[in-house]
Amino acid sequence: MEKILTGIKPTGKLTLGNYIGVLKNIRALQDRGECYLFIADLHALTLPIDPEELRQNSIDIAAFYLASGLDPKKATLFLQSSVSAHAEANAIFQNYLYMGELSRMTQFKDKSAKMKESAIGLGLFAYPVLMAGDIVLYDADIVPVGEDQKQHVELTRDLVNRFNNRYGEVLKMPKPEMNKVGRRIMSLSDPTVKMSKSDPKGDIFLKDDIKVIRKKIMSAVTDLGSEVKYDPENKPGISNLLTIYAAMKDVSIEEAEKHFEGKRYGEFKGEVADAVIEVIEPLQQRYQQIIDSKSYLEVLKEGAQRASQLANKTLKRIKKAVGLLQIDE
Ligand code: ATP
Ligand code: LTN
């Protein structure tokens, strides 16, 4: 059975981009293979974050995973920090990824460009090292991510090649997998930048009031002209809304385009808002029930145990390969 793994870092309030990029696919993923889904809380520390906020964000992500259909009998949900193998793998793999390749990572360049050099932590630079460990510890075949994370999975593939060339077939080769529709949902106020939870402008948050969601979509930036047409270069605003509609309705971009043929921008936006609300409203209700019952706690505890079992097994294999003395065999 295929192993599938992905993570979300608890850096802020979840957005519609996170839903379309990852959460929406959970039901299908857990039916397709052995699924490991986690909260990348160690990764959230790579930029300054308030401790209480980090805790709350982590709970929210757990609850939204479950509200999106994660079934703990089918998939394993856990906190990265509760499986110590991640930190150990990080300590080993930091020696097999190099400064040059890490400094070429787009996410690092984007995030560090906004900071003073004296405030850029080593963890932000080494982010892909920890992430590579996350992936290989579970022998993941498939890593479903949004487009922004593809480069990090590619770097993990380089690490696997490098490591296996040196030590034999120790690590499994993972493959990034992206949606056909909605690999990169853009900001509603500036459709040339990604909708992102740590840089929230023009975001739709999964916890937004339904009225606010409608208002945000109705006032989304559109483009010149009046035709509802998919043309990301010349019509980034309309194309983004079309993508959101297609993802919500599970139709192709062409079908969405066809549906809106001859309709005006106002009517188009109204239907996009309806489509989003149709999905988000029940999601919010399920989320609230999970928060009230605190059912995520038991799921996370059990998940940590299950995840640790597999991760520790792989870690042993890695330690042995590099020559760390095994005294408990
Ligand atoms: P940050 O702003 O802190 O970098 P983020 O909003 O990009 O966070 P992540 O935790 O990095 O969220 O991402 C969780 C998953 O959601 C990843 O697979 C990521 O690729 C995906 N994702 C995030 N934003 C979008 C988006 N706008 N469109 C599609 N997928 C997205
Ligand atoms: N970097 C990812 C979160 C993440 C992840 C992973 C995703 C951490 N480790 C392993 C897939 C596989 C992000 O920013 N979404």
Side-chain angles (χ1 to χ4, degrees), residues 121-138:
L122 181 57
L124 185 66
F125 184 66
Y127 185 107
V129 178
L130 183 61
M131 181 157 163
D134 300 340
I135 295 170
V136 301
L137 280 175
Y138 298 89

Side-chain angles (χ1 to χ4, degrees), residues 4 9 14 42 48 72 87 97 102 151 166 169 216 239 288:
I4 304 171
K9 56 184 185 301
L14 286 172
L42 293 172
L97 282 169
L102 289 170
Q151 197 184 29
R166 182 147 169 202
E169 286 300 305
K216 283 184 178 174
S239 303
Q288 199 53 51

Side-chain angles (χ1 to χ4, degrees), residues 305-325:
Q305 278 177 4
R306 251 190 278 163
S308 293
Q309 266 179 11
L310 176 55
N312 287 334
K313 226 168 96 189
T314 316
L315 185 63
K316 245 185 166 168
R317 208 167 73 218
I318 295 165
K319 284 180 163 176
K320 195 169 170 191
V322 299
L324 296 171
L325 184 62

Side-chain angles (χ1 to χ4, degrees), residues 7-9 11 17-18 21-22 111 144-149 182-185 194-199:
I8 303 180
K9 56 184 185 301
T11 41
N18 300 129
V22 172
K111 301 220 169 192
V145 282
E147 195 172 60
D148 59 306
Q149 293 301 314
R183 316 174 149 198
R184 190 168 154 88
I185 301 299
K194 189 188 93 155
M195 186 183 284
S196 149
K197 64 177 135 58
S198 64
D199 186 14

Side-chain angles (χ1 to χ4, degrees), residues 81 169 172 255:
S81 65
E169 286 300 305
K172 189 81 177 270
E255 286 169 302

